[in-house]
């Protein structure tokens, strides 16, 4: 897995891109990084980790509802 600390903002003004996250990959804004962004993924390793976590998942036991 490869990650970089980047400045990321959420677009709120553009009607075409509202809600999109925009990462400053070239540091053109001069803002300090505010999030770590995963840019490289080892797909087989991620799939194995995800499957392992799902296999070990046990739902929480909820208390019985009141009578």
């Amino acid at each position: 897995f490869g990650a970089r600390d980047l400045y990321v903002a959420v677009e709120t003004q553009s009607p075409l891109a509202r809600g999109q996250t925009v990462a400053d990959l070239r540091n053109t804004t001069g803002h300090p990084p505010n999030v770590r962004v995963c840019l490289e993924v080892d797909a087989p390793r991620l799939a194995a980790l995800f499957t392992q976590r799902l296999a070990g998942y046990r739902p929480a036991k909820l208390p019985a509802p009141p009578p």
Side-chain angles (χ1 to χ4, degrees):
F1 300 99
R4 284 180 52 196
D5 293 334
L6 299 171
Y7 175 75
V8 175
V10 178
E11 175 58 53
T12 60
Q13 303 299 314
S14 168
L16 296 176
R18 187 173 297 140
Q20 277 189 339
T21 54
V22 181
D24 184 5
L25 295 170
R26 297 185 185 116
N27 195 26
T28 56
T29 64
H31 292 294
N34 60 353
V35 68
R36 179 164 287 177
V37 179
C38 185
L39 299 171
E40 299 172 15
V41 175
D42 180 343
R45 186 173 163 209
L46 177 62
L49 180 62
F50 183 72
T51 303
Q52 179 187 17
R53 294 297 186 254
L54 284 180
Y57 174 73
R58 301 288 182 264
K61 291 186 179 181
L62 299 176

